[in-house]
Amino acid sequence: MCGLAGFLSTPPASGAAAEVITSMLSTIRHRGPDQAGYYLDDGLAMGTVRLAIVDPADGAQPMADPDERHWICFNGEIYNHVELRAELEGLGRPFRTDHSDTEVALQAWIQWGPACFARFNGPFALAIRDNVTGRLVLARDRYGKRPLYYAEQGGALLFASEMKSFGAFPGFRFELSPQDLAAIYAVWTPLPDRTPFAGVRQLPMGSYLEVDGDRRSLHPYEELSFDVPGFDGTEAQAVEFVRESLRTAVELRLRSDVEVGVYLSGGLDSSVVTSLATQLSRHQVRTFSVAFKDKNFDESDSQLLVAEHLGTEHCAVPVTGADIADNLPAAVYHAEMPTFRTSFVPMFLLSRHVRDAGIKTVLSGEGSDEAFLGYSLFRETMLRERWHRLDDSGRRAALATLHPELAHFGPAHQSHLLGLYQQFATERMPGLFSHELRYQNGRFAARLLASREDPFAGLLDLVAHAPGYRAMSAVQKAQWLEYKTLLPGFLLSTQGERVALAHSVENRCPFLDPAVVRAASSVNLRFDDGWNEKALLKKAFRAELPQWTTSRPKQPYRAPGSEAFKENRPDYLELLLSDAELGKLDFLDQRFARRLTDRIMTSPVEEVSTKEDQAFVYLLTTAVLHRQFVLDGAGRTSGAPAGALDLKVTVDRRRSVQTVKETQTR
């Protein structure tokens, strides 16, 4: 697990290039405190900061093949690197390390070219340079778990694992993009190739970018699809099939030269992962969770029940509204994104505790709801699709099961809900039927912006041109949208990878194993019509989990929202309360932003609607992000973490030397 950064430009002076790449790497040293290095060639500088998890002794980066023609900077893990290495050795590829997955990635590229990416089981972002052709290739994993950003600056191509690295490049300035903010507010995440900043793009999931001189060409290497053959067997066989696919996925993700812990939320998904880890790990499994002081959000009783049942060494980190208010700016700095929820802040605090406990790697249950249709969104889509075929009693019965955790879905509100679902039983936005209800909250948040452009234009264009999308069922389209937006754009990034790596912790997700996703797609809706949430998954693990875990309704992970700031009044709230500070956000509709802030500050918590709460969190996190990146400049300021960057390996091909250096920056 690592972070990478680099630039490709006309050849600067050697000293200048070394200074710039070192500065860029210093801004992301939290991602890899164990080793850092860079590589220089005519017009190219690229480097890594490394969190040593696999082959700590011999996996130093940047890494070259024996001929030093190809160089790689690699961020991620290839869980099937053992099998790929054996295959590559059989084909005659030479290896210099014993079991570095970085070297496997490099040799796989040399052997198979871009076809190698679809063979990798695991999250990755990488940069590979061919010194003979001068070609540079940037690539990202199929589910977008590892970030990779790029931008143009004064004729140079910049790339990095985190955008803050660009702030260390001479002349680069951040500017928030109102058009992209509108999409983020409406869809809850950036579109697959976008960011909140003008001119900064992210490499889409499942794609690679070829850079050859002035030519840039973006290519998909794997399209997202759920069109797999249905499972040909009995339900009992399907249960065993699902169980074994997950067992293999967990076993692969326990491959590590350091101890692996587990995030245990107390729900089904993390409990399944914990159960398998206790069976397969060579250590007693340590589990970690968040415990909220506010019982409306707390799941610690369920967490303890599972931990005691499975015999893990469990630790719960207590989090209050004050903790969220105190730590939001630091979490936003690492997330680099406006957010609609505060739930990423407790995860930021949890990862800090995990690091302090001596754990570098954790397993989590992310990706299960997308693969096994666990969200109420999927049941809601099926209900709306069948709406005109149901009578009144059938509609009422179905509505009662959708959101048992939400008070406004209770019996007292059924008449209103019947009218709402009647209104949305017919598609209004082409291709977005499943998400139209969710996107109503996004329309409200988008009113924060002075620009009145359609916030859904980019998403509508995306689905209109997505291969195979039109032929998908309504539920498959809902899955596709979740895999393309909320999963990589918030759950795996803001709430996952970014806040974990802020404290040098790697998060591994067995439910994102391609074999698990294929298995789920092959059994979904055949043995369960989707109405009984994750029925097959529950059957597969019912015998080894507490009965409560497999029978209770889903409890979505939530955290205190606007009330945390209203009650605790952090200093940075002045970014919204002061007209002078709010006026610096000149892309906002100032009157609407002021009305929203006043309502949040003066209204009882129970009178604040979900859409108002989300819009306020968006407004506050945008203001914090603007202060950190636009006004303060991110990588150019003290907003970057303090400390020394220890550069172990430096290679400058222009001088044909390889040296070991100790370089202090900042």
Side-chain angles (χ1 to χ4, degrees):
M1 189 56 216
C2 306
L4 62 89
F7 58 88
L8 183 64
S9 67
T10 55
S14 176
E19 181 180 349
V20 171
I21 189 61
T22 300
S23 183
M24 292 177 72
L25 291 171
S26 73
T27 67
I28 58 170
R29 55 188 169 278
H30 49 274
R31 298 182 66 91
D34 297 330
Q35 178 259 326
Y38 62 76
Y39 166 81
L40 302 179
D41 197 0
D42 286 340
L44 174 72
M46 65 180 190
T48 60
V49 290
R50 181 176 178 235
L51 183 65
I53 291 172
V54 174
D55 201 0
D58 297 324
Q61 296 189 49
M63 183 181 289
D65 67 331
D67 296 331
E68 296 195 356
R69 170 177 172 174
H70 299 91
W71 287 82
I72 186 171
C73 289
F74 181 76
N75 164 29
E77 303 287 343
I78 300 178
Y79 303 125
N80 60 333
H81 68 93
V82 174
E83 292 77 11
L84 287 175
R85 177 184 286 258
E87 184 177 358
L88 288 163
E89 286 178 334
L91 293 170
R93 297 306 317 167
F95 283 85
R96 296 189 289 186
T97 67
D98 290 333
H99 57 283
S100 167
D101 59 345
T102 298
E103 189 174 23
V104 169
L106 180 59
Q107 291 292 351
W109 165 261
I110 296 169
Q111 180 67 38
W112 296 309
C116 74
F117 301 137
R119 291 173 172 257
F120 295 167
N121 181 353
F124 66 88
L126 59 78
I128 296 177
R129 165 72 167 218
D130 184 332
N131 284 325
V132 172
T133 65
R135 183 173 61 161
L136 174 70
V137 172
L138 308 176
R140 192 178 182 200
D141 65 82
R142 55 169 57 80
Y143 298 125
K145 192 168 189 293
R146 294 289 177 257
L148 189 53
Y149 301 98
Y150 62 99
E152 303 277 352
Q153 170 61 37
L157 174 71
L158 318 182
F159 55 94
S161 295
E162 297 186 14
M163 291 177 278
K164 59 180 64 69
S165 284
F166 300 157
F169 191 86
F172 188 90
R173 295 292 183 270
F174 288 102
E175 187 75 30
L176 286 169
S177 162
Q179 180 182 2
D180 290 312
L181 286 177
I184 291 169
Y185 289 2
V187 181
W188 294 3
T189 71
L191 297 181
D193 65 337
R194 312 291 284 194
T195 75
F197 297 108
V200 181
R201 297 290 176 260
Q202 60 177 321
L203 199 62
M205 56 196 281
S207 68
Y208 66 97
L209 179 72
E210 284 188 292
V211 182
D212 190 357
D214 294 332
R215 185 177 62 86
R216 319 276 193 259
S217 54
L218 183 65
H219 308 275
Y221 65 82
E222 184 164 297
E223 298 287 357
L224 179 63
S225 173
F226 311 104
D227 186 18
V228 300
F231 182 78
D232 186 16
T234 66
E235 183 180 82
Q237 290 171 328
V239 165
E240 186 61 23
F241 176 51
V242 167
R243 181 182 173 79
E244 283 305 306
S245 68
L246 273 165
R247 181 183 177 87
T248 300
V250 170
E251 188 171 29
L252 285 173
R253 282 154 184 80
L254 288 172
R255 285 179 173 173
S256 171
D257 293 320
V258 298
E259 182 182 354
V260 179
V262 182
Y263 280 167
L264 176 60
S265 71
L268 175 66
D269 309 326
S270 65
S271 298
V272 165
V273 172
T274 304
S275 176
L276 290 169
T278 59
Q279 299 167 35
L280 297 167
S281 177
R282 64 181 185 269
H283 306 282
Q284 181 188 19
V285 171
R286 287 198 277 173
T287 51
F288 302 88
S289 66
V290 170
F292 289 106
K293 295 290 187 181
D294 188 335
K295 294 302 179 183
N296 291 318
F297 304 100
D298 187 57
E299 294 184 80
S300 56
D301 289 345
S302 297
Q303 296 159 5
L304 287 172
L305 177 68
V306 175
E308 291 174 359
H309 184 84
L310 297 176
T312 71
E313 181 184 331
H314 186 66
C315 178
V317 177
V319 175
T320 65
D323 294 325
I324 291 174
D326 289 345
N327 289 277
L328 179 94
V332 168
Y333 176 79
H334 287 284
E336 303 183 322
M337 194 70 57
T339 68
F340 66 110
R341 293 175 181 163
T342 66
S343 53
F344 70 113
V345 184
M347 299 306 293
F348 174 82
L349 297 173
L350 179 61
S351 68
R352 184 171 67 191
H353 178 86
V354 168
R355 178 209 58 195
D356 292 345
I359 296 290
K360 287 184 175 183
T361 306
V362 291
L363 305 182
S364 78
E366 292 293 358
S368 174
D369 287 312
E370 292 78 9
F372 288 94
L373 307 181
Y375 291 132
S376 55
L377 169 76
F378 299 123
R379 297 191 298 281
E380 183 180 79
T381 299
M382 285 184 279
L383 169 60
R384 291 168 53 220
E385 193 178 32
R386 303 171 187 175
W387 188 261
H388 296 301
R389 301 195 299 271
L390 296 173
D391 59 19
D392 186 69
S393 62
R395 293 171 180 175
R396 290 178 181 273
L399 281 173
T401 69
L402 275 183
H403 293 284
E405 79 283 1
L406 298 179
H408 61 274
F409 267 77
H413 301 275
Q414 274 220 335
S415 295
H416 167 74
L417 292 171
L418 284 167
L420 179 67
Y421 278 79
Q422 175 70 29
Q423 186 181 359
F424 283 92
T426 303
E427 184 174 78
R428 299 173 166 198
M429 302 168 70
L432 303 183
F433 173 75
S434 60
H435 284 59
E436 286 177 334
L437 268 169
R438 176 192 290 180
Y439 290 160
Q440 294 314 299
N441 287 353
R443 286 191 183 279
F444 180 82
R447 290 173 60 191
L448 284 166
L449 299 165
S451 170
R452 289 291 181 257
E453 296 179 40
D454 182 2
F456 299 104
L459 186 61
L460 287 166
D461 184 65
L462 180 68
V463 300
H465 296 94
Y469 184 82
R470 185 170 304 203
M472 295 180 188
S473 69
V475 170
Q476 286 176 327
K477 288 177 181 177
Q479 273 186 289
W480 192 94
L481 286 167
E482 289 296 287
Y483 272 99
K484 285 286 187 177
T485 59
L486 189 64
L487 181 63
F490 181 78
L491 297 175
L492 297 179
S493 55
T494 298
Q495 190 172 285
E497 199 255 15
R498 307 306 294 276
V499 292
L501 263 296
H503 300 295
S504 308
V505 175
E506 181 200 40
N507 184 357
R508 298 180 171 186
C509 304
F511 284 99
L512 289 181
D513 190 294
V516 172
V517 176
R518 288 193 298 271
S521 297
S522 73
V523 300
N524 283 342
L525 304 183
R526 179 175 174 203
F527 300 102
D528 173 15
D529 65 2
W531 210 252
N532 183 4
E533 171 204 321
K534 293 187 279 197
L536 210 62
L537 186 63
K538 291 175 180 177
K539 289 178 182 178
F541 293 92
R542 181 171 292 156
E544 61 204 58
L545 294 176
Q547 189 271 337
W548 167 246
T549 304
T550 57
S551 62
R552 70 168 182 144
K554 180 177 177 60
Q555 177 74 28
Y557 166 56
R558 300 182 301 130
S562 58
E563 66 266 30
F565 310 99
K566 177 181 177 180
E567 294 169 0
N568 296 285
R569 297 280 179 146
D571 291 344
Y572 60 84
L573 199 57
E574 285 301 305
L575 294 173
L576 303 185
L577 298 181
S578 163
D579 287 337
E581 291 295 331
L582 190 62
K584 293 176 183 178
L585 303 172
D586 57 5
F587 48 83
L588 291 181
D589 181 325
Q590 298 289 320
R591 293 179 61 187
F592 184 80
R594 171 58 59 220
R595 288 199 304 270
L596 175 66
T597 301
D598 290 346
R599 171 160 173 74
I600 295 295
M601 291 294 110
T602 60
S603 300
V605 171
E606 60 273 12
E607 293 183 10
V608 175
S609 68
T610 299
K611 68 181 181 182
E612 290 171 328
D613 186 83
Q614 289 179 354
F616 177 80
V617 175
Y618 263 136
L619 177 60
L620 182 58
T621 54
T622 299
V624 171
L625 191 72
H626 182 265
R627 165 63 63 184
Q628 292 172 336
F629 281 75
V630 178
L631 299 184
D632 292 345
R636 299 191 303 277
T637 74
S638 58
L645 181 65
D646 184 19
L647 284 171
K648 300 291 188 183
V649 178
T650 304
V651 179
D652 187 341
R653 278 182 53 86
R654 292 171 303 173
R655 295 197 303 266
S656 299
V657 299
Q658 180 165 332
T659 60
V660 178
K661 293 184 178 181
E662 299 292 329
T663 302
Q664 299 287 314
T665 63
R666 300 190 186 276

